[in-house]
Amino acid sequence: LDHQVKVRGYRIELGEIEAALLAHEGVRETVVVAREDVPGDVRLVAYLVAAAGTPPGAGELREHLRERLPDFMLPAHFVTLAALPQTPNG
């Protein structure tokens, strides 16, 4: 499967953002998606499950990613979940 998306003229590999988020000690699981809630306005959203304790804040995650990725690959929003949704097969 091709996990590349085009956001503001840039081709972005979502798995690269996910890998950078997983490198943060406060993140156990993550999924990054491109959402287009308003036609023509595609934004990256990172859904994550905290490793333990208090989940890292959006500012902390953004700084962590800024050290590893270019600005156009930074998610616009970070959403912390208790668990990522699973299909019946996991």
Side-chain angles (χ1 to χ4, degrees):
L1 278 179
D2 184 15
H3 294 284
Q4 279 190 352
V5 295
K6 193 168 186 180
V7 179
R8 294 181 299 279
Y10 294 100
R11 289 216 175 273
I12 298 172
E13 182 68 44
L14 298 176
E16 193 173 342
I17 302 168
E18 292 169 357
L21 278 169
L22 287 172
H24 189 285
E25 72 257 356
V27 177
R28 185 178 74 211
E29 294 178 88
T30 187
V31 172
V32 178
V33 297
R35 293 196 46 159
E36 188 174 4
D37 295 329
V38 177
D41 185 22
V42 180
R43 294 176 184 234
L44 297 173
V45 179
Y47 297 92
L48 59 103
V49 176
T54 306
E60 180 181 345
L61 291 170
R62 199 166 277 114
E63 276 305 309
H64 172 80
L65 291 177
R66 199 169 268 131
E67 296 171 2
R68 292 160 176 78
L69 301 170
D71 284 343
F72 67 86
M73 291 179 74
L74 299 181
H77 303 283
F78 296 90
V79 180
T80 303
L81 303 171
L84 292 178
Q86 300 283 320
T87 65
N89 294 330

